[in-house]
Amino acid sequence: MNLKLNVAHLYGDLLNTYGDIGNILVLEYYAKQMNVELTSEIVSLDQQFEESKFDLAFFGGGQDYEQVIVSKDIQNKKEALTFFIENDGPMLAICGGYQLLGEYYISAKGEKIAGINALPHYTKSQDNNRFIGDIIIKNSETGQEYHGFENHNGMTFLGNGERPLGTVISGHGNNGEDKSEGAIYKNVFCSYFHGPILARNGELAKRLLLLALKRKYPTSDFTQQEQLEIKPTY
Amino acid sequence: MSLRSSVAITAGRTSYWFLHNFLHGGTALPGKITLAIDPDVLQDLAKNYETVIITGTNGKTLTTALTVKALKAKYPQVLTNPSGSNMKQGIVTAFLTSQKTKSGKNLAVLETDEANVELVTKYVRPKVFVLTNIFRDQMDRYGEIYTTYAKILAGIKLEPTATIIANGDAPIFNSVALPNRLIYYGIDAQEDKEQQALPNTDGLLCPKCQHILHYKKISYANLGKYYCPNCDFKRPELDFSVSKIVQQTPQSSEFIVDDTTINLHIGGTYNIYNALAAYSIARFFAIGSSLIATALNDNDEKIFGRQEVINVDNKEITLILVKNPVGLDQVLEMIKTDPEPFSLAVLLNANYADGIDTSWIWDGRFENLPFNNIPNVLAGGERYRDISFRLKVAGVSDKQFLERESLTEVLEALKKMPSNRIYVLATYTAVLQLRKLLASQGYIKEGME
C-alpha cells in the first residue's frame, strides 16, 4: 500500500521567521524513511482550511505585523481548525502559532490579539524582555528530552485540559515561572522551540507522523514505522 | 570650527598616524578618541562634503566600494569608510584621515549600519540615501524588517530634501510615502510570468491592504516585479534597470543596463543589484554610462576580496561569509552555476557575532545543490551537528559526507578532498578562526584587510 500524508502548512508564507520551513523538511525526511510520501500545502489568507484534505497541520511563528494580520484571518478558519483538533487531528504549533490557538495574546506593544480559543491557554507580554537562549525540557510521559532554542516575549499560561510538552530542565519555558514548556492537547503539540523544533527532536517528528498514519489508516499495521531508529542530531 | 573640535580632530589624527604606521591598524580607535573629546565633531568634519549614505541588510560593503570606484571615474577625491567600519567611530575616522580637494566636489560615500542612519544623518546632512534591501538578519539583535526600516526612516525624515536611491524590487521601499525625490533601480531581465514567492520568504504583505503580493518577475527572495492582486500597489517605474543578464558564473556576471554591458568580476545575482546601485548613484552624479561601465569592469582585487580565493596546496578554496538566510540562499544559487566540479564545506558557529540562533540554516535551499556532482560535503565548526543534520536532510549521502568539529581537522580534510575547487561557507567567527589558522600555516597573511 502507498502510504501518503498531506500536511497543511498554515500561513507558511507569513509565519516563517525562524527556519519554520525546516519542520516540514524534517517531516519529509523521516516520512521517507518510513516509506510514506509526504506532501505539504500552504493554507493562507482568504483560503478555507478544508480539514478533510489534511492529515497533519503545521503552524509556525512570525513577526508581530504578520501575526496581527493572521489573527484576523484565522477567525474565518476557527470552526474548521477546531473541528480538526477535536477530532484528534495531529498538529504542531510554534511560537505565534501556539499563541494563536489559545484565547488571546498581548503583543509586545500591549495590544490584545484574539486567538481562536481552540486551546485554553492565554499569553501575556513581558516588559522589555525576551526569553532567549538554549533550552532543554523533559516530557514526563515518554521520558524523552527535547532540545531547542527559545526566543519569545510572550508568557503563556496553560488552561484546564492542557498539559505541558515538558518540564524545563534549563531555560525559561512558557512563562519563566511554572517550569512548564509548550502544551499538549489531544494530538496538538505546541512549543516555543525553534531551531526548528523537529530538527533536534526527531522523536517528536516520529510521534506526529505515527499519530497521523494511525488516524488516517486505522486498520494498518505500523510496526515497521514504529521501529524507525531516530539518531541524535544535537 | 570650535577649539574643542580642532583639539578632538588633532588627537584623532595623531592616534590614527600612530596606529597606522606602527601597529598597521586603526579604523575605529582614532574616531573613538575624537568623539570622546568632542561628541559633535562629525558636524565640523562633514561640512563641505556631499555625502551618500549606503544602508540596508546585505550588500552595503560591496555597493559602497563599487560606488567609490564609479564616482572616481569623474571625481578624483572620494572619501569612504573602510569595509565593515560602519559604526559612528569608523565614520569619524574616515573623515579624519581624508584629503579634501581645493577645487571641485568633495564627495563622501558612507557605508552605514541601519541602526546608525539617524545618528549619522544628524551630523553629515546627506545628499543621497541609498537603500539596498532589508532582510532578516540575526533576529536576536535587531528584530523585524519593519523595525529596521523604521530605524532607517528616522534618519531619512531629518533630511526631506535628500534624494533616495532605492532598490525598486523591494516592496518595503515603496511602503511609506516620503517627500524626498525617489530614484528606483531594479532587474527586469525575465519575461513576465504570473508567480508567487517561495513559502519561506519574508515581507510578502501588501503594505496598503495586507494581501499577499504576487509577482511577474522574481530575482530572489521577495525582490522582483511585484503587484498586489487586491489593490493598486505595485512595483514603481524603474529609473535604472537591468534589461538582460547575459551570463553568470560564481566568478563573474555579465549584464546590460541601459544598453551598456557590464562585466562584473564577481558572481551572484545579489552582486548585480550592488553594481546596479553603484551605477544609479554614479548616474545621479552625472557620470556617463560608458565611464561607469569601465570602472565597474575593472577586476579590482581590493573590492572583490570579501569572496576570498586561497590557494592551499594547489586547491582553490573560495571562502564566503554567510550570515543570514537570504545571503546564504544567494550564495548557494551562485555556486550552483559553477561549471567545474567542486566540493563544499559549511562551517557553523553560533557566537554572538554569528547570531546565537542557528535556525536560519533551514531557510537556505541546500536541496537545490547538485549533490551528485559534488564529491565531498563537509560539516564543521562549533555547531557542526546542526549543519550536519541540515545537509543530510538536504540529501547529502553518507559516502560523500564528512563531519569535523575543529577547524584544524577541517583544514586537513579540505587538503584531501578530490576536487581542486572547494567552496567554504562560514559564519563570521568561523571565517576569522579559519583565516587565523590559514595564516599560521603560511597560506595567507594575517588580518582581514
Side-chain angles (χ1 to χ4, degrees):
Chain A
M1 183 167 64
N2 276 338
L3 299 169
K4 285 182 183 174
L5 292 176
N6 193 25
V7 182
H9 188 180
L10 297 168
Y11 303 98
D13 46 6
L14 291 172
L15 304 183
N16 50 30
T17 304
Y18 297 103
D20 290 284
I21 193 85
N23 286 317
I24 302 279
L25 296 172
V26 173
L27 284 172
E28 276 172 23
Y29 176 76
Y30 289 119
K32 204 170 164 190
Q33 295 179 18
M34 289 177 167
N35 296 317
V36 174
E37 187 194 324
L38 188 126
T39 48
S40 74
E41 265 176 65
I42 300 249
V43 179
S44 189
L45 300 182
D46 301 325
Q47 291 172 298
Q48 295 297 311
F49 173 69
E50 294 172 63
E51 54 85 24
S52 59
K53 273 172 65 182
F54 299 105
D55 312 305
L56 193 63
F58 170 63
F59 195 178
Q63 310 183 95
D64 290 340
Y65 177 60
E66 275 85 0
Q67 278 185 197
V68 170
I69 306 297
V70 170
S71 77
K72 290 175 189 151
D73 182 88
I74 198 173
Q75 302 306 331
N76 303 324
K77 302 180 177 66
K78 176 177 171 167
E79 208 178 312
L81 282 167
T82 308
F83 184 88
F84 181 77
I85 291 168
E86 288 302 320
N87 285 280
D88 299 320
M91 186 184 297
L92 176 67
I94 306 298
C95 294
Y98 172 21
Q99 294 171 348
L100 285 166
L101 290 182
E103 287 176 41
Y104 64 87
Y105 75 90
I106 309 289
S107 74
K109 288 181 197 147
E111 298 157 296
K112 186 172 179 175
I113 314 289
I116 57 166
N117 207 2
L119 272 62
H121 56 260
Y122 63 94
T123 304
K124 299 197 294 187
S125 69
Q126 309 174 66
D127 291 332
N128 297 315
N129 188 45
R130 292 180 78 84
F131 293 139
I132 302 176
D134 291 315
I135 173 166
I136 304 172
I137 62 170
K138 186 168 184 168
N139 179 290
S140 57
E141 293 147 59
T142 60
Q144 286 163 359
E145 279 188 6
Y146 298 134
H147 291 238
F149 185 91
E150 60 180 334
N151 180 354
H152 55 110
N153 169 270
M155 299 168 72
T156 297
F157 297 89
L158 302 185
N160 284 336
E162 279 178 303
R163 50 195 204 281
L165 178 64
T167 306
V168 175
I169 296 174
S170 65
H172 298 94
N174 280 334
N175 47 51
E177 293 172 7
D178 63 15
K179 291 272 167 201
S180 70
E181 202 295 316
I184 302 177
Y185 174 82
K186 290 188 175 262
N187 287 337
V188 182
F189 296 78
C190 302
S191 176
Y192 274 113
F193 283 28
H194 34 81
I197 188 170
L198 298 183
R200 290 190 201 164
N201 304 289
E203 292 292 349
L204 191 58
K206 180 177 163 184
R207 190 167 169 186
L208 280 162
L209 289 167
L210 284 169
L211 283 169
L213 285 170
K214 288 175 181 173
R215 180 169 174 266
K216 184 171 186 183
Y217 305 101
T219 56
S220 300
D221 174 29
F222 291 108
T223 315
Q224 187 212 337
Q225 280 78 8
E226 279 169 347
Q227 281 166 352
L228 175 72
E229 189 201 344
I230 304 289
K231 293 178 187 132
T233 56
Y234 54 85
Chain B
M1 188 179 292
S2 71
L3 178 63
R4 196 181 190 188
S5 289
S6 52
V7 169
I9 290 166
T10 308
R13 287 202 174 125
T14 312
S15 74
Y16 178 80
W17 174 83
F18 178 80
L19 288 167
H20 190 74
N21 288 301
F22 296 102
L23 301 172
H24 307 289
T27 54
L29 187 62
K32 216 171 172 179
I33 293 171
T34 313
L35 282 168
I37 302 173
D38 181 1
D40 295 333
V41 70
L42 255 181
Q43 226 151 7
D44 273 323
L45 286 170
K47 232 186 260 174
N48 308 321
Y49 279 92
E50 289 183 22
T51 302
V52 179
I53 280 188
I54 296 180
T55 194
T57 310
N58 289 346
K60 287 189 284 285
T61 303
L62 191 71
T63 302
T64 302
L66 291 175
T67 300
V68 170
K69 185 107 188 156
L71 291 178
K72 278 189 174 167
K74 185 169 172 187
Y75 309 101
Q77 284 293 339
V78 182
L79 172 160
T80 187
N81 50 337
S83 154
S85 305
N86 62 34
M87 306 305 248
K88 196 177 168 194
Q89 303 94 302
I91 290 171
V92 170
T93 305
F95 277 103
L96 276 178
T97 53
S98 85
Q99 307 286 328
K100 256 196 268 183
T101 51
K102 296 275 183 288
S103 57
K105 266 187 210 292
N106 282 299
L107 295 178
V109 182
L110 300 179
E111 173 187 346
T112 308
D113 195 88
E114 302 90 290
N116 260 341
V117 173
E118 186 181 6
L119 189 73
V120 173
T121 300
K122 272 187 193 152
Y123 295 109
V124 305
R125 314 287 314 268
K127 184 172 183 172
V128 182
F129 291 95
V130 180
L131 313 179
T132 62
N133 50 57
I134 300 181
F135 298 123
R136 267 177 229 161
D137 191 24
Q138 302 184 29
M139 300 293 297
D140 41 321
R141 277 194 232 172
Y142 285 137
E144 313 194 340
I145 59 168
Y146 309 104
T147 321
T148 307
Y149 189 44
K151 283 178 180 159
I152 295 173
L153 284 175
I156 291 177
K157 282 180 177 158
L158 297 175
E159 217 52 52
T161 57
T163 299
I164 298 169
I165 300 179
N167 187 335
D169 289 347
I172 198 163
F173 296 141
N174 189 17
S175 66
V176 176
L178 294 164
N180 305 62
R181 178 183 169 204
L182 272 154
I183 293 174
Y184 285 111
Y185 62 85
I187 298 182
D188 245 343
Q190 312 148 0
E191 291 290 310
D192 278 5
K193 190 181 93 187
E194 171 61 28
Q195 54 191 308
Q196 279 187 259
L198 291 164
N200 57 338
T201 308
D202 205 2
L204 291 181
L205 275 178
C206 169
K208 286 175 86 172
C209 74
Q210 286 80 46
H211 282 72
I212 304 272
L213 294 175
H214 286 219
Y215 287 82
K216 289 181 179 158
K217 307 177 205 287
I218 296 180
S219 299
Y220 61 87
N222 70 340
L223 301 181
K225 188 176 179 184
Y226 60 83
Y227 75 96
C228 177
N230 189 59
C231 74
D232 61 357
F233 184 72
K234 59 177 190 192
R235 184 178 76 173
E237 290 296 318
L238 301 176
D239 298 278
F240 301 109
S241 65
V242 168
S243 56
K244 191 176 181 190
I245 296 177
V246 183
Q247 203 187 6
Q248 286 182 286
T249 74
Q251 293 79 28
S252 68
S253 319
E254 185 185 350
F255 56 95
I256 298 172
V257 195
D258 296 344
D259 303 325
T260 306
T261 300
I262 294 179
N263 285 289
L264 201 63
H265 289 269
I266 192 165
T269 306
Y270 56 103
N271 286 320
I272 295 182
Y273 273 111
N274 295 333
L276 181 59
Y279 176 91
S280 308
I281 299 162
R283 287 288 306 272
F284 174 80
F285 282 101
I287 304 179
S289 40
S290 62
L291 264 184
I292 303 171
T294 310
L296 296 177
N297 291 351
D298 183 20
N299 189 4
D300 186 332
E301 282 184 18
K302 271 190 203 146
I303 290 185
F304 301 118
R306 263 221 157 167
Q307 199 167 288
E308 191 173 19
V309 181
I310 301 160
N311 185 316
V312 175
D313 302 349
N314 292 322
K315 297 218 178 290
E316 183 199 290
I317 295 183
T318 307
L319 179 58
I320 306 175
L321 172 73
V322 289
K323 58 172 188 166
N324 56 30
V326 171
L328 168 64
D329 206 41
Q330 280 303 291
V331 168
L332 296 176
E333 286 298 304
M334 178 181 75
I335 65 178
K336 214 173 70 179
T337 61
D338 200 327
E340 301 282 318
F342 63 88
S343 290
L344 171 71
V346 189
L347 311 180
L348 181 69
N349 284 355
N351 298 306
Y352 186 73
D354 306 295
I356 59 173
D357 178 3
T358 60
S359 64
W360 58 280
I361 60 175
W362 291 88
D363 283 317
R365 278 180 298 275
F366 288 97
E367 280 75 5
N368 290 353
L369 289 176
F371 287 118
N372 288 335
N373 296 319
I374 304 179
N376 270 173
V377 178
L378 181 145
E382 291 158 13
R383 299 298 281 269
Y384 68 98
R385 287 198 173 95
D386 285 342
I387 191 65
S388 284
F389 188 60
R390 175 71 193 94
L391 291 166
K392 281 187 186 165
V393 167
V396 175
S397 67
D398 288 342
K399 67 175 194 298
Q400 71 193 134
F401 187 63
L402 300 166
E403 191 177 73
R404 300 283 185 276
E405 183 177 2
S406 92
L407 293 193
T408 314
E409 286 174 39
V410 167
L411 185 54
E412 288 316 303
L414 294 179
K415 289 174 187 173
K416 290 183 195 127
M417 283 188 176
S419 63
N420 284 324
R421 185 167 281 178
I422 304 169
Y423 289 99
V424 177
L425 316 188
T427 58
Y428 186 72
T429 65
V431 168
L432 295 185
Q433 291 163 2
L434 186 64
R435 291 194 93 263
K436 201 172 173 189
L437 184 66
L438 288 164
S440 75
Q441 298 192 11
Y443 293 111
I444 54 167
K445 285 186 192 135
E446 188 86 56
M448 272 301 260
E449 284 166 352

